[in-house]
C-alpha cells in the first residue's frame, strides 16, 4: 500500500510512520546540541570561582570576628585586674599570660627627674607631647621605657632633670605597639614622631636589655608639675567583622541570583 493509499485509509489524516519518528528524533538531537553549544560555560566557571572567593572571604571574616571578640574579652579581663608587683606580673606572663593592659607596681629609682625624650601625640583632641624616660626597676636586669604623661603644646615648661636614685613607686600599664613603618618621620631635636623603642632607648643612653612594651604611668610621677598628665591611651578595638561577613555573603547570594536569572533567560530562548 502506497503513501496515498494509507492516507486514504486513515480518512485523509497523515499517519505517523518511521520517517516522521526519525525526523522528530533528529530535531530533538539538534536542539540538544544547540543548547549545549549555547550553554555559558565560561560564565559558569567564572561564577563558581567568584562564589568560592566571596564565601571564603565571608568565612574568614567570621573567624576574624571570633578572634577579635576573644581579644577584647582578654583585654577587658586584664584591665580589670588590680595592680600587682612587677615580678608577679612578669612571672604570670612567663607562664603563658599576656602583658597587654596589665597594671604593675613598679619601683623606679630617679624617675621623677630622669632625662626624657618627647613623643608627638594628641590627647583628648589636644596636640602636645608625651615624655618618655628610661626606668631600671629595683633589682631588675632590664630597662623599661616609661611614658610619664602628656604635656600640651601650650606648656613650654618641663620637669627638671637631675641625676638621683631617689626611689619612686608608680602604677604602670603595659601596652604593646607595632614597630614604626619606613614612612614614619625621623626624630629631630629629641622629639619623636613614632613610638620607636630601640631609637628612644639609644637617645636616652640606655645600655643592656630593654623590654619592647611601653609602660604608661597612670599615677602621677611628677605631682609638683600638674601640667604633666599621666594617662594610658584607650583601647582601640574596631570590631566590624560581622558587617564585613554579611557583605561578602550578600554579594555571593547576589552573584548566584544573577547567574540563575541569566541561565533561565538563555534556556527560554533555546526552547522553540
Amino acid at each position: 500500500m502506497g503513501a496515498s493509499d494509507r492516507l486514504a485509509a486513515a480518512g485523509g489524516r497523515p499517519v505517523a510512520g518511521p520517517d516522521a519518528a526519525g525526523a522528530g528524533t533528529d530535531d530533538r538531537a539538534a536542539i540538544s546540541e544547540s543548547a549545549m553549544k549555547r550553554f555559558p560555560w565560561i560564565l559558569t566557571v567564572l561564577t563558581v570561582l567568584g562564589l568560592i572567593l566571596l564565601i571564603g572571604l565571608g568565612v574568614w571574616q567570621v573567624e576574624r570576628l571570633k578572634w577579635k571578640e576573644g581579644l577584647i574579652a582578654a583585654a577587658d579581663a586584664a584591665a580589670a585586674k588590680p595592680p600587682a608587683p612587677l615580678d608577679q606580673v612578669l612571672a604570670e606572663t612567663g607562664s603563658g599570660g599576656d602583658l597587654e593592659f596589665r597594671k604593675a607596681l613598679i619601683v623606679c629609682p630617679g624617675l621623677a627627674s630622669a632625662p626624657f625624650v618627647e613623643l608627638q601625640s594628641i590627647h583628648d583632641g589636644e596636640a602636645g607631647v608625651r615624655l618618655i624616660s628610661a626606668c631600671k626597676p629595683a633589682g631588675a636586669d632590664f630597662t623599661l621605657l616609661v611614658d610619664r604623661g602628656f604635656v600640651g603644646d601650650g606648656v613650654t615648661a618641663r620637669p627638671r632633670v637631675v641625676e638621683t636614685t631617689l626611689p619612686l613607686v608608680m602604677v604602670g600599664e603595659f601596652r604593646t605597639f607595632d614597630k614604626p613603618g619606613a614612612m614614619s618621620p625621623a626624630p629631630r631635636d629629641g622629639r619623636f614622631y613614632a613610638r620607636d623603642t630601640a631609637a628612644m632607648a639609644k637617645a636616652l643612653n640606655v645600655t643592656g636589655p630593654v623590654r619592647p612594651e611601653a609602660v604608661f604611668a597612670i599615677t602621677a610621677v611628677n605631682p609638683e608639675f600638674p601640667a604633666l598628665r599621666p594617662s594610658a591611651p584607650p583601647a582601640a578595638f574596631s570590631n566590624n567583622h560581622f558587617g564585613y561577613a554579611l557583605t561578602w555573603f550578600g554579594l555571593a547570594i547576589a552573584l548566584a541570583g544573577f547567574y540563575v536569572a541569566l541561565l533561565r533567560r538563555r534556556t527560554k530562548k533555546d526552547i522553540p
Side-chain angles (χ1 to χ4, degrees), residues 82-184:
L86 178 61
D87 292 345
Q88 178 181 333
V89 172
L90 295 178
E92 292 176 2
T93 306
S95 60
D98 188 359
L99 269 180
E100 187 77 358
F101 296 101
R102 284 301 312 272
K103 300 179 181 67
L105 292 167
I106 306 172
V107 179
C108 285
L111 180 63
S113 59
F116 55 82
V117 295
E118 298 182 353
L119 173 64
Q120 189 74 36
S121 183
I122 295 178
H123 179 67
D124 291 338
E126 179 184 3
V129 295
R130 305 190 74 92
L131 305 187
I132 315 296
S133 294
C135 161
K136 190 169 185 178
D141 59 352
F142 56 83
T143 298
L144 299 170
L145 292 189
V146 176
D147 188 314
R148 293 162 62 179
F150 176 85
V151 180
D153 277 345
V155 179
T156 57
R158 295 290 185 266
R160 64 174 186 164
V161 177
V162 179
E163 185 176 351
T164 177
T165 58
L166 186 66
L168 181 140
V169 180
M170 56 163 281
V171 177
E173 181 176 293
F174 282 89
R175 300 291 288 274
T176 56
F177 294 89
D178 295 331
K179 292 182 179 180
M183 302 300 293
S184 300

Side-chain angles (χ1 to χ4, degrees), residues 25-56:
T25 302
D26 291 342
D27 290 342
R28 286 193 297 271
I31 292 174
S32 177
E33 182 178 356
S34 175
M36 289 295 290
K37 289 182 178 179
R38 291 175 56 83
F39 188 81
W41 292 106
I42 296 178
L43 179 62
T44 299
V45 172
L46 293 176
T47 300
V48 170
L49 293 176
L51 289 174
I52 292 174
L53 175 63
L54 293 173
I55 294 173

